[in-house]
Amino acid sequence: MENSDTTSTVLIVDDEAAIREMIRMFLEIAGYHCREASNIRDAHRMIIDDKPSLVLLDWMLPGGSGLELLRRLRGDDMTADVPVIM
């Protein structure tokens, strides 16, 4: 992911606030705009609504696993190409 003149948005999905905050802090220092979600439902809504440049996705989340969300994203033409790091 290239950080050019337009700010890239990273969605950080983790149920632990301290982890989200640490990741957000380092990414914002590097010039990225960050959004945060603590569960699968909110993450899916944000991915649909905001189309982030990248999703950092935790494996274990309230309401299901990150792998379940990734399968759902890959099965939908609107979200199939969203880059995800687990």
Side-chain angles (χ1 to χ4, degrees):
M1 177 173 70
E2 187 174 310
N3 190 10
S4 61
D5 292 334
T6 39
T7 303
S8 297
T9 300
V10 177
L11 175 60
I12 304 163
V13 184
D14 198 299
D15 56 326
E16 294 188 40
I19 291 174
R20 290 193 316 268
E21 183 178 336
M22 180 184 62
I23 294 170
R24 180 180 43 80
M25 181 181 68
F26 286 113
L27 287 173
E28 286 178 346
I29 288 170
Y32 295 96
H33 177 261
C34 296
R35 300 285 315 268
E36 297 179 31
S38 62
N39 60 62
I40 287 179
R41 187 193 58 181
D42 291 345
H44 189 257
R45 180 184 48 78
M46 291 174 148
I47 292 166
I48 297 292
D49 293 346
D50 301 337
K51 304 287 190 280
S53 304
L54 174 69
V55 177
L56 298 178
L57 181 59
D58 189 17
W59 280 85
M60 300 302 293
L61 293 162
S65 75
L67 191 55
E68 290 173 28
L69 176 58
L70 180 59
R71 286 183 181 131
R72 187 172 174 187
L73 296 174
R74 294 297 178 250
D76 184 339
D77 289 341
M78 285 181 49
T79 58
D81 62 345
V82 173
V84 176
I85 296 175
M86 294 191 79

